[in-house]
Amino acid sequence: MTTLALRRAVPRAGDLDAALGGDTLAELVRQFKLHGDAFRMHAPLLGRDVFVLSHPDHVRHLLVDQHARFEKGIGIERVRILLGNGLMTSEGTLWRSQRKAIQPAFHRLRVEAQVPAIVAANERLATRIAAAGGEPFDLGRHLSDITLEIVLRALFGGTYDVLVARDNPFALLTDEAERDLKFAYALRKLGGLLQAEIDRRRAQRDTTRHDDLLQTLIDARDRHSGEPMSDRQIRDEVFTLVVAGHETTASALCWTWYLVAGHPAVAAAVRAEASAASDADRARPAADRFPHAYRAIAEALRLYPPGWVLTRRALEATSIAGVDVERGDDILVSPFLVHRHPAFWDDAEAFDPTRFVPERAAVRPRFAYLPFGLGPRACIGEPLALAEMLAHVVTLAHRCELFLVPGQRVEWDARVNLRPRSTIQFTAAARRAT
């Protein structure tokens, strides 16, 4: 592994949109190719430079070894308007308390208990897709709908069916593409619905028990004071889990099928593996039993990580693997750039799931791959997201064969999560009767 042992001057490389708008990632890629894994960009909106760091040593220092010397950086204010002061945006004592309170909901056994419902939802999706009869369809919309259903079922359990009995109040997440102030206002208006459900559960706590994420939030107590979360904090955490858990997973799965369908040998291996498995294994997919599917997902997350940028702000003067920063300096780490660093990934632009066979993964720097972040602030929902993605790919590969409609121009949109700029059209053929 290359080590950045010597301090060095960091070149300045043009201007940066501090709002991290739609062209930001393309500009970062361009400057990365020109200047390598450490450069500065001037942010006119801030009136100062922002460091862009993309070496695994930078990742380790910033997110793991010295994480306490940094807080969330540019862009977090916009996220806070949307999601409130939940786990994604909070800092310090509040963040630590919330993380410890929510973590049990993502324990391995809790995640495994949700897999049968996830598989059942994907079986229903496979039936709908197979019914398309060879006509082109927007797979991304199907993925957005099903990932929203799955995260809402995880949050609300049996109450989900009551909430959506007439119209799904959370449908705006799939219906609205923009994540602007208008969307934030519409989302926050759902606070009244959430509060009514919180109040109902508290009133029935002696007679009715729920085994879902919302109940975990209601039951959580601060380990020092013994106090419960405030109602506002519960609402903020629900919004955070819904938005983050839905959009990132839908984007990741859309990129996965785009890549798999475009590589027939990979697609054939994923299908053959799914078909050869027992019903019991398909009902509870595990990475070691479906290695082709798992590696395809991992490689899709490498090439198109939904969380394409992580921002930090220095709380004190320090050095990040040889790059000196002052208190108040902003730093960007883009998993998109780290994942395509030519020093650590051979033929980095190519889709090659065999990168994740154990022998190849073992010789790669640990901090060269971070689709869910790393360190204490890594995505808390990673276990559930990976289980959901694996169950989805295995189920659809067993039931359907997906084909890309030829002649499409596929580009990314990095305004929020890294997602396709426009719909990707697929056709499907059923693989077996149900």
Side-chain angles (χ1 to χ4, degrees):
M1 176 177 176
T2 303
T3 301
L4 302 182
L6 300 176
R7 298 180 186 276
R8 55 189 171 90
V10 179
R12 176 179 277 185
D15 286 350
L16 174 75
D17 176 10
L20 304 178
D23 295 328
T24 300
L25 179 55
E27 182 63 16
L28 291 179
V29 170
R30 191 174 77 85
Q31 299 298 344
F32 176 74
K33 292 178 178 178
L34 290 172
H35 299 286
D37 51 34
F39 54 89
R40 294 175 296 152
M41 299 183 73
H42 184 67
L45 188 65
L46 302 177
R48 61 179 184 271
D49 287 355
V50 174
F51 290 84
V52 182
L53 305 180
S54 307
H55 192 285
D57 286 355
H58 299 141
V59 172
R60 178 174 182 169
H61 182 111
L62 194 67
L63 303 183
V64 182
D65 290 350
Q66 302 295 329
H67 69 91
R69 294 185 176 185
F70 303 90
E71 63 181 0
K72 290 290 187 81
I74 60 174
I76 201 63
E77 295 83 4
R78 184 176 61 170
V79 179
R80 192 172 283 119
I81 292 172
L82 175 62
L83 302 179
N85 207 26
L87 201 58
M88 186 182 294
T89 58
S90 58
E91 298 282 357
T93 302
L94 174 61
W95 170 78
R96 286 189 291 273
S97 175
Q98 293 299 103
R99 180 86 184 199
K100 290 174 181 175
I102 298 171
Q103 190 70 60
F106 295 94
H107 185 276
R108 178 179 59 83
L109 294 178
R110 293 285 295 274
V111 170
E112 289 177 355
Q114 297 185 53
V115 169
I118 294 172
V119 170
N122 279 288
E123 289 283 1
R124 295 191 294 272
L125 173 62
T127 299
R128 293 195 298 273
I129 287 176
E135 291 297 315
F137 62 91
D138 174 11
L139 179 62
R141 179 56 194 248
H142 284 292
L143 295 173
S144 185
D145 288 343
I146 194 171
T147 54
L148 180 60
E149 175 187 345
I150 288 169
V151 74
L152 291 177
R153 286 189 183 279
L155 273 162
F156 297 109
T159 309
Y160 167 80
D161 292 313
V162 177
L163 288 175
V164 302
R166 298 181 65 183
D167 293 304
N168 186 349
F170 289 91
L172 77 161
L173 279 96
T174 58
D175 295 340
E176 301 293 335
E178 299 298 327
R179 294 297 178 260
D180 51 17
L181 288 175
K182 179 181 177 181
F183 174 83
Y185 176 74
L187 182 68
R188 302 302 292 189
K189 283 181 68 176
L190 296 177
L193 178 148
L194 287 177
Q195 190 59 54
E197 178 61 16
I198 293 167
D199 292 342
R200 186 185 70 82
R201 292 190 179 201
R202 284 185 170 145
Q204 298 177 353
R205 64 180 177 271
D206 295 331
T207 59
T208 307
R209 293 298 303 165
H210 300 269
D211 185 19
D212 51 40
L213 288 173
L214 178 58
Q215 196 63 46
T216 298
L217 298 174
I218 293 171
D219 292 342
R221 296 294 181 270
D222 184 271
R223 63 183 302 184
H224 299 296
S225 69
E227 291 296 312
M229 291 186 202
S230 69
D231 289 350
R232 179 173 182 175
Q233 193 65 49
I234 292 173
R235 296 195 303 269
D236 286 350
E237 300 299 354
V238 168
F239 287 133
T240 297
L241 292 169
V242 169
V243 173
H246 155 246
E247 296 188 346
T248 54
T249 307
S251 296
L253 287 173
C254 195
W255 289 120
T256 298
W257 284 117
Y258 164 67
L259 293 165
V260 169
H263 294 79
V266 175
V270 171
R271 290 195 302 271
E273 171 182 83
S275 295
S278 67
D279 289 342
D281 282 347
R282 283 193 297 269
R284 292 185 177 274
D288 59 344
R289 294 172 185 167
F290 297 93
H292 288 288
Y294 173 78
R295 292 196 293 259
I297 293 166
E299 176 69 343
L301 287 169
R302 182 188 72 84
L303 284 170
Y304 297 104
W308 64 271
V309 66
L310 305 172
T311 69
R312 293 293 187 270
R313 182 170 293 135
L315 296 171
E316 58 187 78
T318 187
S319 177
I320 305 172
V323 176
D324 291 332
V325 297
E326 300 297 326
R327 183 177 184 273
D329 279 349
D330 282 292
I331 304 101
L332 299 186
V333 168
S334 172
F336 188 97
L337 300 183
V338 179
H339 290 177
R340 297 175 186 236
H341 197 307
F344 307 102
W345 302 92
D346 296 332
D347 197 10
E349 303 292 327
F351 176 65
D352 179 10
T354 66
R355 299 178 198 277
F356 291 91
V357 298
E359 311 85 73
R360 292 183 68 182
V363 299
R364 188 167 52 243
R366 176 186 173 192
F367 301 98
Y369 186 65
L370 61 158
F372 294 94
L374 289 169
R377 297 208 67 147
C379 174
I380 196 171
E382 177 180 355
L384 180 58
L386 287 174
E388 179 182 349
M389 287 188 280
L390 185 61
H392 167 85
V393 171
V394 168
T395 303
L396 257 66
H398 182 230
R399 296 279 309 280
C400 305
E401 188 170 359
L402 296 178
F403 305 93
L404 280 170
V405 173
Q408 299 181 82
R409 182 178 179 179
V410 176
E411 299 176 322
W412 74 62
D413 178 355
R415 284 175 295 174
V416 186
N417 297 307
L418 186 62
R419 57 190 179 183
R421 188 178 299 275
S422 56
T423 63
I424 304 179
Q425 295 290 307
F426 289 78
T427 59
R431 297 194 64 220
R432 81 198 241 293
T434 58

